[in-house]
Amino acid sequence: MNQSPKIIIDRRPLWIVAFDRLRRGIVVAILFALFVVFLNQDAPAGLTPQAYKVLCLFGLSVALWSTNVIPLSATSLFVIGAVPLLGIMEDSRVYEFFGNKAVFFILGAFILSGAMISCGLSVRLSLWAIENWGHNPRKLMASIYLFGTAGSTIMSEHAVAAMLFPIVAEIVSALQLAPGRSQYGKQLYFALGWGCIIGGATTVLGGGRVPLAVEMLEKGTENEHTLGILQYSVLTFPMIPILLVCGWVLLTTLFKPEAVDVSPALETLERKSLSLGKISYQEMGVGAVMAVTLVLWFGFGDTLGIANIALMAVFALFVLNLITWRAVEPHVNWAIILMYGGAICLGEVMAESGAALWLAEKVFQGWIASPTAFLLALAVLSVLFTTFMSNSAVIAILLPPALTLCPAYGVSPVVATMTVILPSNFAFILPIATPASALAYSSRYIPLADMMKAGLLLSVLGMLSYMVLLWGYWPLIGFA
């Protein structure tokens, strides 16, 4: 029998209902109206008319990226189209920025991780790890935490979080944990989110923000400086175990789990694992290609080019008939790719026009006198910004102005780049910062107050771990 649809009557005053439905459009209209008003003002002293237009466009982009009233990728497309239309730069040069190696590396990485997910290899590995290591409540939480970390070193942290989320959902369902009240439920979902975020900071493969930053670094310094895939991991390494330990301590001290028998969850995972059957030729082939790709990336990435290796690996997957485009297409995040293309374009235009230098001087000079204070200010701003917007947007906003001031403060552009990248990973406080946090919060097992409290503590500890790198580890290995 067909049931009649449920009718919900909204009893709020009409003006509140209208505002609620139109608020997104109202915010967009206000932001663009302000953009037009400022665009028609005279340029401040020290700025050319072209640079002032770039600064206005940058301000609008920051507002749209931080409020997320329209998708990040749509803002980036607007930037790419607006630069030539405002007469800032010729369109042929603008569109060249989109065809850079960072974008194609990210595209290749998405396809490779999509191949692992679509063939079932990533799910098989995660089930194996959780099923074999999670024999009691603490070990079960640790297996989710550590697999999220390990998985995010070779795949996008977003993809790993999305892969683990339904598995954790089945676990909490089998254990009949109460949303919002179960302390163990909170632990499991925090372990998922934090593990993926920390793992994503370990290598270049954890997300697109590092390739984006490296591309901006190379363009901003006219290819005098770069950051290799192995170099990044070496420079980051000590921070990762520190964050892992800090996260584990917070998980086990802030949330005292109730008594839980995990056997129903393990039975559920065993049934799911058996349903996968024996490992297939496709899974073995994808695993082999991924293993060879990782060896080439870390061993020969600086000489062969990580984007070139990624594209050849994708080609090999298709030649060996291991994947189809239909299977991997859902896992290619075109929105992220478009967002990066626009961010690189805006950063390059900011640098060439002089707008980035002018803005950086206004923000930093006069109250920051030393190189150390400059780096600490960058790190604090990176953490603050990543609380309210995606870490990729943080890179796009902070890095171009920071690079222009490096000569004035005597700071290596590579150090400044690492200082912006690493704290932008501390997206622990609010769910809007990264999809891993958003997925954990969407489970309804983590109240917002708990996420903010625990996330703030872990972010502070993350800043302390960055200081260990800045004042201890980096000088020790001669990186300054």
Side-chain angles (χ1 to χ4, degrees):
M1 182 182 294
N2 293 329
Q3 295 182 346
S4 58
K6 186 178 181 180
I7 298 174
I8 300 175
I9 300 175
D10 194 335
R11 299 185 182 278
R12 295 176 296 173
L14 184 60
W15 70 271
I16 294 180
V17 175
F19 177 78
D20 186 48
R21 296 187 178 185
L22 297 174
R23 60 182 174 181
R24 176 176 167 276
I26 292 171
V27 171
V28 172
I30 291 173
L31 291 177
F32 273 91
L34 291 172
F35 172 65
V36 173
V37 169
F38 281 106
L39 201 60
N40 287 283
Q41 303 298 311
D42 294 331
L47 269 184
T48 65
Q50 299 296 86
Y52 179 64
K53 290 180 182 178
V54 175
L55 200 61
C56 292
L57 184 60
F58 176 74
L60 177 62
S61 302
V62 170
L64 292 173
W65 278 330
S66 58
T67 58
N68 204 25
V69 289
I70 62 176
L72 302 181
S73 54
T75 300
S76 291
L77 290 175
F78 169 75
V79 168
I80 295 172
V83 169
L85 289 175
L86 292 172
I88 298 169
M89 187 178 286
E90 293 182 2
D91 53 4
S92 58
R93 288 204 59 206
V94 172
Y95 290 105
E96 285 176 1
F97 297 138
F98 191 82
N100 61 78
K101 60 179 178 290
V103 170
F104 283 96
F105 167 73
I106 296 165
L107 175 61
F110 277 145
I111 295 176
L112 288 169
S113 64
M116 290 186 66
I117 295 171
S118 63
C119 75
L121 178 61
S122 57
V123 174
R124 185 184 296 277
L125 290 174
S126 62
L127 287 172
W128 176 84
I130 296 171
E131 188 180 353
N132 284 275
W133 298 342
H135 296 300
N136 60 53
R138 178 164 287 208
K139 288 184 177 180
L140 181 59
M141 179 182 68
S143 66
I144 295 170
Y145 187 50
L146 295 176
F147 187 85
T149 302
S152 296
T153 63
I154 60 172
M155 295 171 58
S156 164
E157 66 182 61
H158 310 160
V160 177
M163 177 186 69
L164 283 177
F165 184 79
I167 296 174
V168 177
E170 290 194 38
I171 291 173
V172 297
S173 176
L175 298 179
Q176 299 181 347
L177 304 179
R181 296 195 303 274
S182 170
Q183 298 299 299
Y184 189 58
K186 293 177 185 179
Q187 282 186 328
L188 293 180
Y189 278 106
F190 268 123
L192 183 156
W194 288 0
C196 291
I197 293 171
I198 294 171
T202 309
T203 69
V204 173
L205 309 177
R209 57 192 169 274
V210 182
L212 172 64
V214 173
E215 186 72 17
M216 288 183 165
L217 169 65
E218 292 175 350
K219 289 186 177 295
T221 61
E222 298 181 351
N223 291 315
E224 289 185 14
H225 298 275
T226 189
L227 184 62
I229 185 170
L230 184 58
Q231 181 189 14
Y232 171 81
S233 294
V234 170
L235 293 174
T236 306
F237 171 72
M239 188 183 77
I240 303 306
I242 293 173
L243 274 177
L244 279 173
V245 171
C246 290
W248 180 258
V249 170
L250 290 177
L251 283 174
T252 53
T253 56
L254 292 179
F255 309 104
K256 300 297 183 181
E258 61 274 29
V260 175
D261 177 14
V262 299
S263 55
L266 295 178
E267 291 172 4
T268 300
L269 294 177
E270 185 179 5
R271 288 194 298 271
K272 191 173 182 66
S273 182
L274 290 174
S275 69
L276 294 176
K278 292 184 178 180
I279 188 168
S280 65
Y281 158 77
Q282 184 186 19
E283 291 174 80
M284 290 188 289
V286 169
V289 171
M290 192 66 193
V292 172
T293 303
L294 288 172
V295 171
L296 292 176
W297 269 336
F298 285 98
F300 306 94
D302 293 341
T303 54
L304 299 179
I306 57 174
N308 302 329
I309 295 170
L311 295 181
M312 292 301 101
V314 170
F315 177 72
L317 290 174
F318 281 102
V319 166
L320 297 173
N321 198 29
L322 295 172
I323 59 171
T324 63
W325 182 251
R326 178 176 293 181
V328 299
E329 187 176 19
H331 306 287
V332 177
N333 193 331
W334 292 106
I336 294 294
I337 293 172
L338 293 173
M339 189 270 169
Y340 289 165
I344 291 170
C345 172
L346 183 59
E348 184 71 11
V349 173
M350 285 274 291
E352 285 196 16
S353 66
L357 178 60
W358 184 90
L359 179 63
E361 289 175 344
K362 294 297 181 184
V363 172
F364 290 101
Q365 288 187 345
W367 65 284
I368 294 179
S370 68
T372 300
F374 171 63
L375 291 173
L376 289 178
L378 279 180
V380 171
L381 287 174
S382 184
V383 172
L384 290 176
F385 284 4
T386 203
T387 300
F388 302 102
M389 64 182 77
S390 76
N391 41 33
S392 304
V394 174
I395 301 295
I397 291 167
L398 267 186
L399 192 53
L403 291 174
T404 60
L405 277 187
C406 286
Y409 284 103
V411 171
S412 165
V414 183
V415 175
T417 300
M418 290 295 292
T419 298
V420 174
I421 292 173
L422 295 183
S424 75
N425 290 296
F426 306 154
F428 304 115
I429 300 176
L430 290 177
I432 62 173
T434 180
S437 292
L439 278 172
Y441 178 71
S442 71
S443 67
R444 296 186 297 115
Y445 278 82
I446 302 177
L448 184 59
D450 285 345
M451 173 167 276
M452 293 177 67
K453 175 186 173 183
L456 178 61
L457 291 173
L458 189 53
S459 294
V460 170
L461 293 171
M463 277 298 296
L464 293 176
S465 69
Y466 161 75
M467 293 177 189
V468 170
L469 298 184
L470 180 63
W471 291 328
Y473 176 65
W474 289 347
L476 185 65
I477 63 173
F479 179 69

